Amino acid sequence: MTPIDTQFLRETLQRLLQVPSPTGDTGRAMELCRRILSDWSDVLEIEMSPKGVLTAAWNGRKTDAPRAVTAHIDTLGAHVAEIKPNGRLRLSQIGSYDWTAIENEGVTIQSPGGASWRGTVLFANESYHVHPNDDRVDQKARTQETMEVRVDARTRSRQETQALGIEVGDLIYFDPRYEENNGFIRSRFLDDKACLACVL
């Protein structure tokens, strides 16, 4: 049996994780997979369907019992649901996750026009000492209405944020935070990009 090329596996996984691919925005990640598979184009029949499904057929000695392995590349993310009066962003989820899972996460806001900004997901009114008359921050529910993105720019109004090129509907990518330690890999989006790396 041929041993698994663990260096290729790790490097491929890291490359996959570094390309944002929330549901509905998987084109760049699929193109990366196509490029990786093209290294074996002498034995693979590679095709991309009109809907963006990538297949690679590897002909065997027999054709009476074809087999397939699959993996998905789309991940979780968010859209800009609203630019709030204070210039911060309300999010709309892509996928389903608990709001507590993204608190304090670094993000990239990407507009179709090419504008790209960094930011942080925060609980609105997040600080005790800034909002001393508010209820205890740690006991408040994290919801779409109480979480927001603070853009890394000097903006304090909806108009100033829009002037940056940010609009409702723009995509928000969560940082993968890839890390290797003690033989383990820790990252967001290991489901299902780790499976995809194994398939590749």
Side-chain angles (χ1 to χ4, degrees):
M1 178 180 281
T2 304
I4 293 171
D5 185 343
T6 55
Q7 180 175 347
F8 171 85
L9 184 61
R10 287 197 314 272
E11 290 173 357
T12 300
L13 176 57
Q14 186 171 13
R15 289 174 70 190
L16 291 169
L17 289 165
Q18 289 173 340
V19 178
S21 57
T23 301
D25 185 36
T26 59
R28 286 168 295 167
M30 293 300 285
E31 175 57 23
L32 172 60
C33 291
R34 190 198 62 73
R35 287 198 317 266
I36 292 169
L37 288 168
S38 69
D39 289 342
W40 298 285
S41 59
D42 56 328
V43 294
L44 297 177
E45 297 173 13
I46 303 166
E47 292 184 11
M48 183 82 77
S49 79
K51 290 192 174 184
V53 175
L54 181 65
T55 60
W58 186 359
N59 293 320
R61 289 188 294 268
K62 299 170 69 177
T63 59
D64 59 332
R67 291 180 287 259
V69 291
T70 66
H72 66 83
I73 199 163
D74 61 323
T75 62
L76 304 173
H79 285 289
V80 176
E82 175 192 4
I83 302 175
K84 299 167 75 171
N86 64 1
R88 295 187 177 191
L89 311 175
R90 189 167 64 87
L91 296 83
S92 174
Q93 291 183 346
I94 298 175
S96 180
Y97 45 87
D98 193 289
W99 288 100
T100 59
I102 61 167
E103 189 167 3
N104 298 315
E105 186 62 85
V107 300
T108 299
I109 305 108
Q110 183 69 54
S111 73
S116 179
W117 291 91
R118 295 286 293 156
T120 308
V121 180
L122 297 169
F123 181 77
N125 302 339
E126 70 276 6
S127 176
Y128 287 124
H129 66 277
V130 174
H131 305 280
N133 298 322
D134 211 347
D135 294 333
R136 289 185 55 90
V137 173
D138 60 344
Q139 295 176 8
K140 285 194 168 182
R142 271 55 178 165
T143 68
Q144 182 180 21
E145 302 306 321
T146 62
M147 301 296 286
E148 62 186 13
V149 171
R150 179 189 62 206
V151 182
D152 293 344
R154 295 192 181 277
T155 171
R156 294 177 183 234
S157 69
R158 180 180 290 119
Q159 293 76 16
E160 288 178 337
T161 298
Q162 288 177 314
L164 299 173
I166 297 172
E167 291 291 347
V168 170
D170 288 353
L171 285 162
I172 298 175
Y173 305 135
F174 302 132
D175 290 352
R177 293 185 282 121
Y178 182 92
E179 184 178 331
E180 292 186 38
N181 188 33
N182 268 349
F184 290 87
I185 293 174
R186 183 154 46 102
S187 178
R188 280 192 181 278
F189 312 130
L190 290 175
D191 171 23
D192 195 39
K193 290 188 176 182
C195 180
L196 182 56
C198 290
V199 169
L200 292 169

